[in-house]
Amino acid sequence: MSKQPEQELIDIRAGRDLSVLDLISVDPLTDDDITLIFDIARKFRDFETHKFDLNKNRSMVNVFFENSTRTMSSFDLAGKNLSMDTTSISSSSSVKKGESYIDTAQTLDSYNVKALIVRTSESGASEMIARHVKAAVLNAGDGWHEHPTQALLDALTILDHYDVTDMKDKIVTIVGDIRHSRVFGSMVRLFNKLGATIRVAAPQTLLPMHADKFGVEIFYDVEDALKDAHVVYALRVQEERGSNGYIPTLREYSKMYGITRKRLDLANDKALLMHPGPVRRDVDVHSALVTMDEQSHILRQVENGMAVRKSLLWLLCNRNDGKTKDAVKL
Ligand code: ASP
């Protein structure tokens, strides 16, 4: 008789735990952590339609001080799929009324939840919250800093597409608003760990200061940057973070940096076209390429997002080593 999906997950996990108690950044993740997250995510993906009871009697709150479509729905559905009780708070009224992030987080922590999924428009806020709550904090995007689950799901998409365990012979070209992108923040840290060659192509004004310190090759000509790339990763111009002041007009930006068929053809034949969403069609990427083109992996990224978030929620809310956090009270 074939094994229950739950048992297959337990077997794959083999008693392993993550070295971290929160997921704020990809920086502290060890090679073993990354392998563990992906081993489990792949198994969850195999049982896409099965409802698991692995996190039964555990609850989580999505605390989204900044808007979200896919990250919030993906975490929420991932938690529900593991039989967690979930609730979501978006653009919290308590903060508008003058309560601090820490007080709001400690209030939610008092419900004895196992995880707080936190998004803020300020960099560093989820790390600060993590020190003050017992629940595991998963950073769902903090300002311009990091978006670790996005980078993890992106890495899984690339590794599985090429059927490899690292990115040592892979060129990843990232095009767009690097300066304001927390996706870039996590991606550059994770992809460097995995051994990728990372190229960035952007107007000089949309590059962070000291971009050369990130371990990337900088290009101002997108066509040069795309040559032979294995991954073409487009980033949105983040108007809500003031990017419009850094480019002449979106139309001109798009003409110089938008991904078109002709530009994509400069990359490797098997190159993946990726984008974290939301896509601005005909600005970041030509409309015909977004979902219809066979090189586009944009919807595959979303599918892998669910699998990676299930993996993290199971690992962080259900530890074998019994490790817990101390919460600093103010
Ligand atoms: N969804 C991603 C983020 O939250 C990318 C974007 O918004 O452009 O950072």
Side-chain angles (χ1 to χ4, degrees), residues 256-288:
M256 287 189 71
Y257 290 95
I259 304 301
T260 56
R261 175 78 265 159
K262 216 165 136 209
R263 287 187 173 145
L264 188 58
D265 284 344
L266 296 170
N268 184 288
D269 289 347
K270 280 181 74 184
L272 291 85
L273 171 63
M274 299 174 71
H275 191 298
V279 179
R280 292 189 72 168
R281 284 179 182 254
D282 295 323
V283 176
D284 320 328
V285 178
H286 186 255
S287 191

PDB file of all heavy atoms in Angstrom, residues 256-288:
ATOM      1  N   MET A 256      14.170  51.485 -23.448  1.00  0.00           N
ATOM      2  CA  MET A 256      15.573  51.134 -23.235  1.00  0.00           C
ATOM      3  C   MET A 256      15.763  49.824 -22.472  1.00  0.00           C
ATOM      4  O   MET A 256      16.750  49.132 -22.661  1.00  0.00           O
ATOM      5  CB  MET A 256      16.284  52.258 -22.484  1.00  0.00           C
ATOM      6  CG  MET A 256      16.500  53.454 -23.382  1.00  0.00           C
ATOM      7  SD  MET A 256      17.539  54.655 -22.582  1.00  0.00           S
ATOM      8  CE  MET A 256      19.113  53.836 -22.611  1.00  0.00           C
ATOM      9  N   TYR A 257      14.827  49.508 -21.573  1.00  0.00           N
ATOM     10  CA  TYR A 257      15.060  48.349 -20.685  1.00  0.00           C
ATOM     11  C   TYR A 257      13.960  47.283 -20.713  1.00  0.00           C
ATOM     12  O   TYR A 257      14.145  46.206 -20.138  1.00  0.00           O
ATOM     13  CB  TYR A 257      15.268  48.832 -19.236  1.00  0.00           C
ATOM     14  CG  TYR A 257      16.583  49.556 -19.086  1.00  0.00           C
ATOM     15  CD1 TYR A 257      16.642  50.948 -19.186  1.00  0.00           C
ATOM     16  CD2 TYR A 257      17.764  48.855 -18.895  1.00  0.00           C
ATOM     17  CE1 TYR A 257      17.861  51.614 -19.091  1.00  0.00           C
ATOM     18  CE2 TYR A 257      18.976  49.506 -18.796  1.00  0.00           C
ATOM     19  CZ  TYR A 257      19.015  50.890 -18.897  1.00  0.00           C
ATOM     20  OH  TYR A 257      20.215  51.531 -18.811  1.00  0.00           O
ATOM     21  N   GLY A 258      12.815  47.558 -21.331  1.00  0.00           N
ATOM     22  CA  GLY A 258      11.725  46.575 -21.358  1.00  0.00           C
ATOM     23  C   GLY A 258      12.169  45.302 -22.085  1.00  0.00           C
ATOM     24  O   GLY A 258      12.930  45.353 -23.046  1.00  0.00           O
ATOM     25  N   ILE A 259      11.669  44.161 -21.615  1.00  0.00           N
ATOM     26  CA  ILE A 259      12.041  42.882 -22.246  1.00  0.00           C
ATOM     27  C   ILE A 259      11.084  42.601 -23.406  1.00  0.00           C
ATOM     28  O   ILE A 259       9.882  42.423 -23.206  1.00  0.00           O
ATOM     29  CB  ILE A 259      12.003  41.722 -21.228  1.00  0.00           C
ATOM     30  CG1 ILE A 259      12.898  42.028 -20.015  1.00  0.00           C
ATOM     31  CG2 ILE A 259      12.418  40.407 -21.895  1.00  0.00           C
ATOM     32  CD1 ILE A 259      14.364  42.276 -20.320  1.00  0.00           C
ATOM     33  N   THR A 260      11.658  42.588 -24.606  1.00  0.00           N
ATOM     34  CA  THR A 260      10.893  42.299 -25.823  1.00  0.00           C
ATOM     35  C   THR A 260      11.346  40.937 -26.356  1.00  0.00           C
ATOM     36  O   THR A 260      12.346  40.383 -25.895  1.00  0.00           O
ATOM     37  CB  THR A 260      11.218  43.354 -26.897  1.00  0.00           C
ATOM     38  OG1 THR A 260      12.651  43.322 -27.082  1.00  0.00           O
ATOM     39  CG2 THR A 260      10.794  44.749 -26.473  1.00  0.00           C
ATOM     40  N   ARG A 261      10.621  40.438 -27.348  1.00  0.00           N
ATOM     41  CA  ARG A 261      11.006  39.164 -27.984  1.00  0.00           C
ATOM     42  C   ARG A 261      12.452  39.223 -28.490  1.00  0.00           C
ATOM     43  O   ARG A 261      13.244  38.312 -28.295  1.00  0.00           O
ATOM     44  CB  ARG A 261      10.021  38.916 -29.129  1.00  0.00           C
ATOM     45  CG  ARG A 261      10.241  37.740 -30.013  1.00  0.00           C
ATOM     46  CD  ARG A 261       9.789  36.436 -29.384  1.00  0.00           C
ATOM     47  NE  ARG A 261      10.886  35.759 -28.728  1.00  0.00           N
ATOM     48  CZ  ARG A 261      10.742  34.837 -27.787  1.00  0.00           C
ATOM     49  NH1 ARG A 261       9.548  34.481 -27.374  1.00  0.00           N
ATOM     50  NH2 ARG A 261      11.778  34.253 -27.257  1.00  0.00           N
ATOM     51  N   LYS A 262      12.761  40.346 -29.150  1.00  0.00           N
ATOM     52  CA  LYS A 262      14.094  40.485 -29.740  1.00  0.00           C
ATOM     53  C   LYS A 262      15.175  40.442 -28.655  1.00  0.00           C
ATOM     54  O   LYS A 262      16.215  39.812 -28.816  1.00  0.00           O
ATOM     55  CB  LYS A 262      14.158  41.828 -30.485  1.00  0.00           C
ATOM     56  CG  LYS A 262      14.969  41.789 -31.732  1.00  0.00           C
ATOM     57  CD  LYS A 262      14.689  42.996 -32.591  1.00  0.00           C
ATOM     58  CE  LYS A 262      16.031  43.519 -33.087  1.00  0.00           C
ATOM     59  NZ  LYS A 262      16.012  44.932 -33.324  1.00  0.00           N
ATOM     60  N   ARG A 263      14.882  41.083 -27.547  1.00  0.00           N
ATOM     61  CA  ARG A 263      15.875  41.096 -26.456  1.00  0.00           C
ATOM     62  C   ARG A 263      15.980  39.718 -25.799  1.00  0.00           C
ATOM     63  O   ARG A 263      17.074  39.250 -25.502  1.00  0.00           O
ATOM     64  CB  ARG A 263      15.509  42.170 -25.419  1.00  0.00           C
ATOM     65  CG  ARG A 263      15.789  43.560 -25.950  1.00  0.00           C
ATOM     66  CD  ARG A 263      15.605  44.640 -24.925  1.00  0.00           C
ATOM     67  NE  ARG A 263      16.069  45.897 -25.498  1.00  0.00           N
ATOM     68  CZ  ARG A 263      15.523  47.080 -25.264  1.00  0.00           C
ATOM     69  NH1 ARG A 263      14.488  47.194 -24.443  1.00  0.00           N
ATOM     70  NH2 ARG A 263      16.016  48.161 -25.829  1.00  0.00           N
ATOM     71  N   LEU A 264      14.830  39.076 -25.603  1.00  0.00           N
ATOM     72  CA  LEU A 264      14.863  37.749 -24.978  1.00  0.00           C
ATOM     73  C   LEU A 264      15.653  36.765 -25.843  1.00  0.00           C
ATOM     74  O   LEU A 264      16.344  35.876 -25.336  1.00  0.00           O
ATOM     75  CB  LEU A 264      13.424  37.252 -24.746  1.00  0.00           C
ATOM     76  CG  LEU A 264      13.248  35.984 -23.932  1.00  0.00           C
ATOM     77  CD1 LEU A 264      13.857  36.122 -22.531  1.00  0.00           C
ATOM     78  CD2 LEU A 264      11.753  35.627 -23.787  1.00  0.00           C
ATOM     79  N   ASP A 265      15.580  36.951 -27.158  1.00  0.00           N
ATOM     80  CA  ASP A 265      16.293  36.055 -28.065  1.00  0.00           C
ATOM     81  C   ASP A 265      17.819  36.173 -27.946  1.00  0.00           C
ATOM     82  O   ASP A 265      18.551  35.318 -28.441  1.00  0.00           O
ATOM     83  CB  ASP A 265      15.866  36.301 -29.518  1.00  0.00           C
ATOM     84  CG  ASP A 265      14.490  35.704 -29.789  1.00  0.00           C
ATOM     85  OD1 ASP A 265      14.041  34.867 -28.972  1.00  0.00           O
ATOM     86  OD2 ASP A 265      13.859  36.090 -30.795  1.00  0.00           O
ATOM     87  N   LEU A 266      18.300  37.224 -27.310  1.00  0.00           N
ATOM     88  CA  LEU A 266      19.752  37.354 -27.112  1.00  0.00           C
ATOM     89  C   LEU A 266      20.253  36.403 -26.030  1.00  0.00           C
ATOM     90  O   LEU A 266      21.420  36.057 -25.970  1.00  0.00           O
ATOM     91  CB  LEU A 266      20.109  38.790 -26.686  1.00  0.00           C
ATOM     92  CG  LEU A 266      19.811  39.882 -27.702  1.00  0.00           C
ATOM     93  CD1 LEU A 266      19.979  41.254 -27.059  1.00  0.00           C
ATOM     94  CD2 LEU A 266      20.752  39.727 -28.900  1.00  0.00           C
ATOM     95  N   ALA A 267      19.317  35.996 -25.155  1.00  0.00           N
ATOM     96  CA  ALA A 267      19.692  35.113 -24.051  1.00  0.00           C
ATOM     97  C   ALA A 267      19.834  33.678 -24.561  1.00  0.00           C
ATOM     98  O   ALA A 267      19.553  33.387 -25.732  1.00  0.00           O
ATOM     99  CB  ALA A 267      18.633  35.195 -22.958  1.00  0.00           C
ATOM    100  N   ASN A 268      20.259  32.799 -23.674  1.00  0.00           N
ATOM    101  CA  ASN A 268      20.355  31.368 -23.975  1.00  0.00           C
ATOM    102  C   ASN A 268      19.008  30.849 -24.512  1.00  0.00           C
ATOM    103  O   ASN A 268      17.960  31.326 -24.089  1.00  0.00           O
ATOM    104  CB  ASN A 268      20.715  30.689 -22.635  1.00  0.00           C
ATOM    105  CG  ASN A 268      20.952  29.222 -22.749  1.00  0.00           C
ATOM    106  OD1 ASN A 268      20.017  28.462 -22.939  1.00  0.00           O
ATOM    107  ND2 ASN A 268      22.202  28.816 -22.629  1.00  0.00           N
ATOM    108  N   ASP A 269      19.060  29.841 -25.398  1.00  0.00           N
ATOM    109  CA  ASP A 269      17.812  29.314 -26.008  1.00  0.00           C
ATOM    110  C   ASP A 269      16.799  28.851 -24.967  1.00  0.00           C
ATOM    111  O   ASP A 269      15.597  28.944 -25.175  1.00  0.00           O
ATOM    112  CB  ASP A 269      18.127  28.072 -26.857  1.00  0.00           C
ATOM    113  CG  ASP A 269      18.861  28.456 -28.102  1.00  0.00           C
ATOM    114  OD1 ASP A 269      18.899  29.657 -28.411  1.00  0.00           O
ATOM    115  OD2 ASP A 269      19.411  27.525 -28.757  1.00  0.00           O
ATOM    116  N   LYS A 270      17.328  28.276 -23.874  1.00  0.00           N
ATOM    117  CA  LYS A 270      16.414  27.731 -22.859  1.00  0.00           C
ATOM    118  C   LYS A 270      16.127  28.743 -21.747  1.00  0.00           C
ATOM    119  O   LYS A 270      15.560  28.383 -20.712  1.00  0.00           O
ATOM    120  CB  LYS A 270      17.062  26.500 -22.193  1.00  0.00           C
ATOM    121  CG  LYS A 270      16.947  25.220 -23.004  1.00  0.00           C
ATOM    122  CD  LYS A 270      17.585  24.050 -22.262  1.00  0.00           C
ATOM    123  CE  LYS A 270      16.739  23.571 -21.092  1.00  0.00           C
ATOM    124  NZ  LYS A 270      17.387  22.498 -20.323  1.00  0.00           N
ATOM    125  N   ALA A 271      16.531  29.990 -21.936  1.00  0.00           N
ATOM    126  CA  ALA A 271      16.456  30.960 -20.830  1.00  0.00           C
ATOM    127  C   ALA A 271      15.040  31.092 -20.285  1.00  0.00           C
ATOM    128  O   ALA A 271      14.061  31.083 -21.033  1.00  0.00           O
ATOM    129  CB  ALA A 271      16.957  32.320 -21.295  1.00  0.00           C
ATOM    130  N   LEU A 272      14.957  31.216 -18.973  1.00  0.00           N
ATOM    131  CA  LEU A 272      13.658  31.448 -18.329  1.00  0.00           C
ATOM    132  C   LEU A 272      13.429  32.946 -18.257  1.00  0.00           C
ATOM    133  O   LEU A 272      14.341  33.696 -17.914  1.00  0.00           O
ATOM    134  CB  LEU A 272      13.670  30.980 -16.879  1.00  0.00           C
ATOM    135  CG  LEU A 272      13.757  29.538 -16.491  1.00  0.00           C
ATOM    136  CD1 LEU A 272      15.198  29.110 -16.466  1.00  0.00           C
ATOM    137  CD2 LEU A 272      13.173  29.384 -15.104  1.00  0.00           C
ATOM    138  N   LEU A 273      12.198  33.339 -18.525  1.00  0.00           N
ATOM    139  CA  LEU A 273      11.791  34.725 -18.292  1.00  0.00           C
ATOM    140  C   LEU A 273      11.037  34.744 -16.969  1.00  0.00           C
ATOM    141  O   LEU A 273      10.069  33.992 -16.794  1.00  0.00           O
ATOM    142  CB  LEU A 273      10.887  35.206 -19.430  1.00  0.00           C
ATOM    143  CG  LEU A 273      10.227  36.568 -19.201  1.00  0.00           C
ATOM    144  CD1 LEU A 273      11.263  37.681 -19.087  1.00  0.00           C
ATOM    145  CD2 LEU A 273       9.246  36.881 -20.338  1.00  0.00           C
ATOM    146  N   MET A 274      11.510  35.590 -16.040  1.00  0.00           N
ATOM    147  CA  MET A 274      10.888  35.609 -14.710  1.00  0.00           C
ATOM    148  C   MET A 274      10.568  37.039 -14.278  1.00  0.00           C
ATOM    149  O   MET A 274      11.159  38.005 -14.763  1.00  0.00           O
ATOM    150  CB  MET A 274      11.826  34.956 -13.680  1.00  0.00           C
ATOM    151  CG  MET A 274      12.121  33.499 -14.009  1.00  0.00           C
ATOM    152  SD  MET A 274      13.352  32.747 -12.918  1.00  0.00           S
ATOM    153  CE  MET A 274      12.458  32.610 -11.388  1.00  0.00           C
ATOM    154  N   HIS A 275       9.631  37.144 -13.356  1.00  0.00           N
ATOM    155  CA  HIS A 275       9.219  38.451 -12.806  1.00  0.00           C
ATOM    156  C   HIS A 275       8.500  38.135 -11.494  1.00  0.00           C
ATOM    157  O   HIS A 275       7.710  37.193 -11.437  1.00  0.00           O
ATOM    158  CB  HIS A 275       8.271  39.141 -13.802  1.00  0.00           C
ATOM    159  CG  HIS A 275       7.994  40.575 -13.495  1.00  0.00           C
ATOM    160  ND1 HIS A 275       7.369  40.984 -12.338  1.00  0.00           N
ATOM    161  CD2 HIS A 275       8.255  41.705 -14.203  1.00  0.00           C
ATOM    162  CE1 HIS A 275       7.258  42.308 -12.344  1.00  0.00           C
ATOM    163  NE2 HIS A 275       7.793  42.775 -13.460  1.00  0.00           N
ATOM    164  N   PRO A 276       8.726  38.933 -10.442  1.00  0.00           N
ATOM    165  CA  PRO A 276       8.077  38.595  -9.165  1.00  0.00           C
ATOM    166  C   PRO A 276       6.607  39.007  -9.108  1.00  0.00           C
ATOM    167  O   PRO A 276       5.910  38.608  -8.168  1.00  0.00           O
ATOM    168  CB  PRO A 276       8.883  39.418  -8.152  1.00  0.00           C
ATOM    169  CG  PRO A 276       9.385  40.592  -8.937  1.00  0.00           C
ATOM    170  CD  PRO A 276       9.615  40.092 -10.332  1.00  0.00           C
ATOM    171  N   GLY A 277       6.156  39.791 -10.097  1.00  0.00           N
ATOM    172  CA  GLY A 277       4.794  40.311 -10.059  1.00  0.00           C
ATOM    173  C   GLY A 277       4.697  41.432  -9.023  1.00  0.00           C
ATOM    174  O   GLY A 277       5.488  41.450  -8.081  1.00  0.00           O
ATOM    175  N   PRO A 278       3.760  42.337  -9.135  1.00  0.00           N
ATOM    176  CA  PRO A 278       2.881  42.473 -10.285  1.00  0.00           C
ATOM    177  C   PRO A 278       3.623  43.010 -11.521  1.00  0.00           C
ATOM    178  O   PRO A 278       4.451  43.897 -11.393  1.00  0.00           O
ATOM    179  CB  PRO A 278       1.845  43.496  -9.795  1.00  0.00           C
ATOM    180  CG  PRO A 278       2.516  44.256  -8.692  1.00  0.00           C
ATOM    181  CD  PRO A 278       3.509  43.347  -8.079  1.00  0.00           C
ATOM    182  N   VAL A 279       3.280  42.422 -12.681  1.00  0.00           N
ATOM    183  CA  VAL A 279       3.933  42.831 -13.934  1.00  0.00           C
ATOM    184  C   VAL A 279       3.225  44.048 -14.506  1.00  0.00           C
ATOM    185  O   VAL A 279       1.989  44.094 -14.517  1.00  0.00           O
ATOM    186  CB  VAL A 279       3.829  41.701 -14.991  1.00  0.00           C
ATOM    187  CG1 VAL A 279       4.470  42.125 -16.301  1.00  0.00           C
ATOM    188  CG2 VAL A 279       4.444  40.407 -14.493  1.00  0.00           C
ATOM    189  N   ARG A 280       3.995  45.005 -14.949  1.00  0.00           N
ATOM    190  CA  ARG A 280       3.386  46.083 -15.750  1.00  0.00           C
ATOM    191  C   ARG A 280       3.627  45.723 -17.199  1.00  0.00           C
ATOM    192  O   ARG A 280       4.748  45.879 -17.715  1.00  0.00           O
ATOM    193  CB  ARG A 280       4.014  47.425 -15.408  1.00  0.00           C
ATOM    194  CG  ARG A 280       3.645  47.829 -14.011  1.00  0.00           C
ATOM    195  CD  ARG A 280       4.060  49.209 -13.709  1.00  0.00           C
ATOM    196  NE  ARG A 280       3.231  50.169 -14.428  1.00  0.00           N
ATOM    197  CZ  ARG A 280       3.249  51.476 -14.153  1.00  0.00           C
ATOM    198  NH1 ARG A 280       4.041  51.948 -13.225  1.00  0.00           N
ATOM    199  NH2 ARG A 280       2.482  52.306 -14.819  1.00  0.00           N
ATOM    200  N   ARG A 281       2.573  45.191 -17.802  1.00  0.00           N
ATOM    201  CA  ARG A 281       2.695  44.759 -19.193  1.00  0.00           C
ATOM    202  C   ARG A 281       3.108  45.938 -20.074  1.00  0.00           C
ATOM    203  O   ARG A 281       2.624  47.050 -19.897  1.00  0.00           O
ATOM    204  CB  ARG A 281       1.357  44.205 -19.690  1.00  0.00           C
ATOM    205  CG  ARG A 281       1.074  42.805 -19.162  1.00  0.00           C
ATOM    206  CD  ARG A 281      -0.265  42.309 -19.645  1.00  0.00           C
ATOM    207  NE  ARG A 281      -0.543  40.998 -19.087  1.00  0.00           N
ATOM    208  CZ  ARG A 281      -0.476  39.861 -19.799  1.00  0.00           C
ATOM    209  NH1 ARG A 281      -0.186  39.889 -21.073  1.00  0.00           N
ATOM    210  NH2 ARG A 281      -0.732  38.711 -19.203  1.00  0.00           N
ATOM    211  N   ASP A 282       3.998  45.667 -21.007  1.00  0.00           N
ATOM    212  CA  ASP A 282       4.503  46.645 -21.962  1.00  0.00           C
ATOM    213  C   ASP A 282       5.359  47.735 -21.330  1.00  0.00           C
ATOM    214  O   ASP A 282       5.747  48.684 -22.009  1.00  0.00           O
ATOM    215  CB  ASP A 282       3.368  47.260 -22.798  1.00  0.00           C
ATOM    216  CG  ASP A 282       2.712  46.210 -23.676  1.00  0.00           C
ATOM    217  OD1 ASP A 282       3.451  45.334 -24.168  1.00  0.00           O
ATOM    218  OD2 ASP A 282       1.481  46.230 -23.830  1.00  0.00           O
ATOM    219  N   VAL A 283       5.624  47.614 -20.030  1.00  0.00           N
ATOM    220  CA  VAL A 283       6.635  48.495 -19.422  1.00  0.00           C
ATOM    221  C   VAL A 283       7.835  47.617 -19.047  1.00  0.00           C
ATOM    222  O   VAL A 283       8.917  47.755 -19.607  1.00  0.00           O
ATOM    223  CB  VAL A 283       6.097  49.247 -18.186  1.00  0.00           C
ATOM    224  CG1 VAL A 283       7.217  50.077 -17.548  1.00  0.00           C
ATOM    225  CG2 VAL A 283       4.931  50.147 -18.569  1.00  0.00           C
ATOM    226  N   ASP A 284       7.622  46.677 -18.134  1.00  0.00           N
ATOM    227  CA  ASP A 284       8.730  45.783 -17.726  1.00  0.00           C
ATOM    228  C   ASP A 284       8.979  44.725 -18.809  1.00  0.00           C
ATOM    229  O   ASP A 284      10.115  44.387 -19.114  1.00  0.00           O
ATOM    230  CB  ASP A 284       8.392  44.991 -16.446  1.00  0.00           C
ATOM    231  CG  ASP A 284       7.657  45.777 -15.401  1.00  0.00           C
ATOM    232  OD1 ASP A 284       7.886  46.986 -15.317  1.00  0.00           O
ATOM    233  OD2 ASP A 284       6.849  45.173 -14.663  1.00  0.00           O
ATOM    234  N   VAL A 285       7.879  44.155 -19.284  1.00  0.00           N
ATOM    235  CA  VAL A 285       7.953  43.012 -20.211  1.00  0.00           C
ATOM    236  C   VAL A 285       6.876  43.209 -21.274  1.00  0.00           C
ATOM    237  O   VAL A 285       5.755  43.628 -20.957  1.00  0.00           O
ATOM    238  CB  VAL A 285       7.652  41.687 -19.455  1.00  0.00           C
ATOM    239  CG1 VAL A 285       7.680  40.497 -20.400  1.00  0.00           C
ATOM    240  CG2 VAL A 285       8.635  41.452 -18.314  1.00  0.00           C
ATOM    241  N   HIS A 286       7.217  42.899 -22.528  1.00  0.00           N
ATOM    242  CA  HIS A 286       6.231  43.020 -23.592  1.00  0.00           C
ATOM    243  C   HIS A 286       5.067  42.068 -23.325  1.00  0.00           C
ATOM    244  O   HIS A 286       5.272  40.905 -22.950  1.00  0.00           O
ATOM    245  CB  HIS A 286       6.895  42.707 -24.945  1.00  0.00           C
ATOM    246  CG  HIS A 286       5.981  42.944 -26.095  1.00  0.00           C
ATOM    247  ND1 HIS A 286       5.392  41.926 -26.786  1.00  0.00           N
ATOM    248  CD2 HIS A 286       5.529  44.091 -26.630  1.00  0.00           C
ATOM    249  CE1 HIS A 286       4.607  42.445 -27.727  1.00  0.00           C
ATOM    250  NE2 HIS A 286       4.675  43.749 -27.649  1.00  0.00           N
ATOM    251  N   SER A 287       3.862  42.576 -23.517  1.00  0.00           N
ATOM    252  CA  SER A 287       2.658  41.843 -23.134  1.00  0.00           C
ATOM    253  C   SER A 287       2.614  40.400 -23.666  1.00  0.00           C
ATOM    254  O   SER A 287       2.245  39.477 -22.937  1.00  0.00           O
ATOM    255  CB  SER A 287       1.434  42.625 -23.623  1.00  0.00           C
ATOM    256  OG  SER A 287       0.295  42.073 -23.055  1.00  0.00           O
ATOM    257  N   ALA A 288       3.010  40.219 -24.905  1.00  0.00           N
ATOM    258  CA  ALA A 288       2.892  38.888 -25.515  1.00  0.00           C
ATOM    259  C   ALA A 288       3.788  37.852 -24.829  1.00  0.00           C
ATOM    260  O   ALA A 288       3.593  36.642 -24.983  1.00  0.00           O
ATOM    261  CB  ALA A 288       3.248  38.970 -26.997  1.00  0.00           C
TER     262      ALA A 288
END
